[in-house]
Amino acid sequence: MLHSDMRKFLIDTDTASDDAIASLVKRCVIMGGAANVVGNVTPAAVALDPAIVTTQSKYYVEVETLSELTRGQTVVDQLGVLKQTPNMTVIWSIDAPRWKEHLYRCLG
Protein backbone atom coordinates (compact mmCIF):
# COMPACT_ATOMS: atom_id res chain seq x y z
CA MET A 1 0.00 0.00 0.00
CA LEU A 2 1.48 3.35 -0.96
CA HIS A 3 1.87 5.98 1.75
CA SER A 4 -0.61 8.29 -0.02
CA ASP A 5 -3.12 5.42 -0.18
CA MET A 6 -2.57 4.66 3.50
CA ARG A 7 -3.06 8.31 4.44
CA LYS A 8 -6.28 8.55 2.39
CA PHE A 9 -7.51 5.29 3.92
CA LEU A 10 -6.88 6.56 7.46
CA ILE A 11 -8.53 9.90 6.75
CA ASP A 12 -11.55 8.23 5.12
CA THR A 13 -11.95 5.65 7.90
CA ASP A 14 -14.71 6.67 10.30
CA THR A 15 -14.24 3.70 12.63
CA ALA A 16 -12.41 3.47 15.93
CA SER A 17 -8.61 3.41 15.87
CA ASP A 18 -8.32 -0.34 16.43
CA ASP A 19 -10.76 -1.06 13.60
CA ALA A 20 -8.74 1.17 11.27
CA ILE A 21 -5.47 -0.54 12.21
CA ALA A 22 -7.03 -4.00 11.86
CA SER A 23 -8.36 -3.17 8.42
CA LEU A 24 -5.00 -1.74 7.39
CA VAL A 25 -3.19 -4.89 8.60
CA LYS A 26 -5.52 -7.06 6.53
CA ARG A 27 -5.06 -4.88 3.44
CA CYS A 28 -1.25 -4.89 3.79
CA VAL A 29 -1.11 -8.65 4.16
CA ILE A 30 -3.37 -9.17 1.14
CA MET A 31 -1.52 -6.63 -1.03
CA GLY A 32 2.09 -7.16 -0.05
CA GLY A 33 2.53 -10.03 2.33
CA ALA A 34 3.33 -10.08 6.02
CA ALA A 35 6.66 -8.28 5.53
CA ASN A 36 4.79 -5.05 4.76
CA VAL A 37 2.71 -5.12 7.92
CA VAL A 38 5.24 -3.57 10.31
CA GLY A 39 6.37 -0.94 7.81
CA ASN A 40 2.84 0.24 7.09
CA VAL A 41 1.04 -0.40 10.35
CA THR A 42 3.56 1.35 12.58
CA PRO A 43 3.07 4.76 10.89
CA ALA A 44 -0.68 4.10 10.95
CA ALA A 45 -0.53 3.35 14.67
CA VAL A 46 1.44 6.57 15.25
CA ALA A 47 -1.10 8.55 13.22
CA LEU A 48 -3.97 7.10 15.23
CA ASP A 49 -2.24 7.10 18.63
CA PRO A 50 0.53 9.74 18.72
CA ALA A 51 1.23 8.93 22.39
CA ILE A 52 2.87 5.71 21.15
CA VAL A 53 5.95 7.75 20.15
CA THR A 54 8.69 7.78 22.79
CA THR A 55 11.57 9.45 20.92
CA GLN A 56 11.41 11.84 17.98
CA SER A 57 13.48 14.69 16.53
CA LYS A 58 13.22 17.19 13.70
CA TYR A 59 15.74 16.90 10.87
CA TYR A 60 16.23 17.90 7.27
CA VAL A 61 15.26 14.82 5.24
CA GLU A 62 15.55 14.25 1.52
CA VAL A 63 15.02 11.35 -0.86
CA GLU A 64 18.19 10.91 -2.88
CA THR A 65 17.46 10.81 -6.61
CA LEU A 66 20.83 11.39 -8.25
CA SER A 67 23.51 9.36 -6.46
CA GLU A 68 24.45 5.92 -7.71
CA LEU A 69 25.18 4.77 -4.15
CA THR A 70 22.03 5.95 -2.39
CA ARG A 71 19.46 6.59 -5.16
CA GLY A 72 15.94 6.14 -3.83
CA GLN A 73 17.00 6.13 -0.19
CA THR A 74 15.76 8.51 2.46
CA VAL A 75 18.69 10.54 3.77
CA VAL A 76 18.42 12.12 7.23
CA ASP A 77 20.88 14.94 7.95
CA GLN A 78 21.34 14.09 11.63
CA LEU A 79 24.44 16.22 12.01
CA GLY A 80 23.07 19.34 10.26
CA VAL A 81 25.85 19.22 7.67
CA LEU A 82 23.61 20.68 4.93
CA LYS A 83 22.51 23.57 7.17
CA GLN A 84 18.92 23.21 5.94
CA THR A 85 15.79 23.95 7.94
CA PRO A 86 14.36 20.71 9.36
CA ASN A 87 11.46 19.53 7.22
CA MET A 88 10.54 16.23 8.86
CA THR A 89 9.92 14.72 12.26
CA VAL A 90 11.83 11.44 12.50
CA ILE A 91 10.47 8.90 14.94
CA TRP A 92 13.29 6.93 16.53
CA SER A 93 11.36 4.78 18.96
CA ILE A 94 7.86 3.83 19.99
CA ASP A 95 6.27 2.20 23.00
CA ALA A 96 6.52 -1.37 21.68
CA PRO A 97 4.25 -2.96 24.31
CA ARG A 98 1.55 -0.37 23.53
CA TRP A 99 1.98 -0.98 19.78
CA LYS A 100 1.67 -4.74 20.37
CA GLU A 101 -1.47 -4.19 22.45
CA HIS A 102 -3.07 -2.36 19.51
CA LEU A 103 -1.94 -5.05 17.08
CA TYR A 104 -3.05 -8.01 19.20
CA ARG A 105 -6.41 -6.37 19.90
CA CYS A 106 -6.87 -5.86 16.14
CA LEU A 107 -5.89 -9.40 15.25
CA GLY A 108 -7.66 -10.98 18.24
Side-chain angles (χ1 to χ4, degrees), residues 14 28 43 52 55 64 83 95 101 104 106:
D14 292 328
C28 290
I52 208 166
T55 309
E64 179 59 59
K83 301 197 185 324
D95 181 341
E101 284 177 25
Y104 295 155
C106 292

Side-chain angles (χ1 to χ4, degrees), residues 13 57 68 95:
T13 301
S57 303
E68 291 181 23
D95 181 341

